[in-house]
Amino acid sequence: VLEKARLDQEETINRQIREDMRLAELIQEGLLPKGGPDIPGFDVAGASKAAGHVGGDYFEFIPLRDNRWAFALGDVSGKGVPAALLMANLQATLRSQVLQDTSCHQCLTNCNKLLYLSTTHDRFATLFYGRLDVRSNVMTYCNAGHERPYLLSRSGENKRLAAGGLAVGILEEFAYEDDIVIMQPGDTVVIFSDGVTDMINLRDEAFGEERLEEILNGNLDMAAQELVDLIISSVQEHAGDKEAFDDVTVMIIKKDP
């Protein structure tokens, strides 16, 4: 009788944990955009696949005044629920700064200090943040320790977007830098988390940048959402039966030809 009572109690606790995780997953899904916004002259899309029920990757698009858009893709240290909580903190912090309409580097400078003061020293996040002016086709960005996005042109010229600084949350004070890209017709910006290139298969082979570049160079004519889906499905196919250990997130911004 005692053993049955103990098992019943364990099952009740496990059922509550499963329900909490289900609700956490739904809440996190609600924090992330479904696809991409409708931006005149551009084709934009994004998607994120968590390794578990919840993850630490984050992306979003935020409309600004005067036909401008802010966008971001971040990757929080750690896994599971702790990473998901920090991800929500990062999202709220970034949104509060974006709406003040400061420059990209000042926005990340503020986010860095706020995140540093609100978390332990072993918690941080890489973050790529940018702003797109639809009228001038100018994209301003700041890369805080994130995987360097690709800027691909139809002429075959490829550039990596590296200007910025350290991941946010490591040092209380850090001076970040901006850079500017003028989007030409047909240009494609591909932003991704390290879960894409670091995904390994049963033979411990990483997906790697070379495979990613082959997909990008061979499919630049694809619509943004199609290319996002292709990258994520290719990463999952590469992993096969290997359990994913990191979240996979991709964002694509294409200038119409």
Side-chain angles (χ1 to χ4, degrees):
V1 170
L2 290 174
E3 179 65 11
K4 183 178 184 304
R6 184 184 68 80
L7 292 174
D8 287 344
Q9 185 180 34
E10 287 185 356
E11 176 57 29
T12 299
I13 294 173
N14 289 334
R15 186 164 53 246
Q16 183 61 52
I17 291 174
R18 290 194 296 270
E19 177 63 12
D20 289 345
M21 291 302 299
R22 186 187 70 84
L23 293 175
E25 186 175 1
L26 290 175
I27 291 171
Q28 187 170 64
E29 287 179 357
L31 294 176
L32 300 177
K34 306 297 186 294
D38 183 14
I39 302 178
F42 291 84
D43 183 14
V44 181
S48 183
K49 299 292 183 183
H53 290 284
V54 291
D57 278 7
Y58 147 73
F59 79 99
E60 73 173 328
F61 308 94
I62 304 172
L64 303 173
R65 296 175 299 177
D66 302 324
N67 288 321
R68 294 175 302 139
W69 284 81
F71 56 91
L73 194 155
D75 185 356
V76 169
S77 63
K79 313 293 179 190
V81 173
L85 291 172
L86 186 54
M87 184 275 271
N89 185 347
L90 175 63
Q91 182 188 50
T93 301
L94 180 65
R95 284 182 174 180
S96 70
Q97 299 305 310
V98 169
L99 296 179
Q100 293 184 27
D101 211 8
T102 58
S103 63
C104 287
H105 72 270
Q106 188 61 52
C107 179
L108 261 61
T109 297
N110 296 342
C111 285
N112 171 67
K113 184 167 186 176
L114 290 170
L115 195 66
Y116 179 88
L117 294 174
S118 63
T119 60
T120 56
H121 298 333
D122 60 337
R123 295 293 181 180
F124 60 91
T126 65
L127 179 64
F128 185 89
Y129 172 65
R131 291 187 174 182
L132 178 64
D133 189 322
V134 178
R135 299 169 301 179
S136 63
N137 299 325
V138 171
M139 185 184 79
T140 307
Y141 75 89
C142 185
N143 187 343
H146 196 73
E147 295 291 317
R148 296 172 300 152
Y150 288 92
L151 171 61
L152 309 169
S153 67
R154 287 178 173 270
S155 64
E157 296 180 6
N158 299 340
K159 179 181 179 181
R160 304 296 294 271
L161 307 181
L166 288 176
V168 293
I170 295 179
L171 298 176
E172 181 176 359
E173 301 288 345
F174 189 86
Y176 291 88
E177 298 179 352
D178 283 352
D179 199 2
I180 292 176
V181 170
I182 300 177
M183 298 283 289
Q184 303 294 335
D187 280 358
T188 301
V189 174
V190 182
I191 312 165
F192 58 97
S193 64
D194 60 5
V196 172
T197 50
D198 291 349
M199 184 68 71
I200 60 174
N201 56 22
L202 291 174
R203 297 187 296 275
D204 286 335
E205 298 170 337
F207 187 77
E209 291 187 350
E210 185 175 342
R211 286 187 176 90
L212 177 58
E213 290 169 5
E214 288 179 0
I215 292 173
L216 297 177
N217 292 326
N219 298 278
L220 281 181
D221 290 333
M222 273 189 170
Q225 189 62 60
E226 292 177 343
L227 190 50
V228 166
D229 294 339
L230 175 62
I231 294 170
I232 293 178
S233 64
S234 298
V235 171
Q236 293 174 328
E237 183 180 349
H238 171 80
D241 294 330
K242 181 75 172 182
E243 184 178 359
F245 69 91
D246 203 359
D247 311 318
V248 174
T249 305
V250 181
M251 175 189 292
I252 291 179
I253 301 173
K254 295 173 65 75
K255 180 72 180 78
D256 289 347

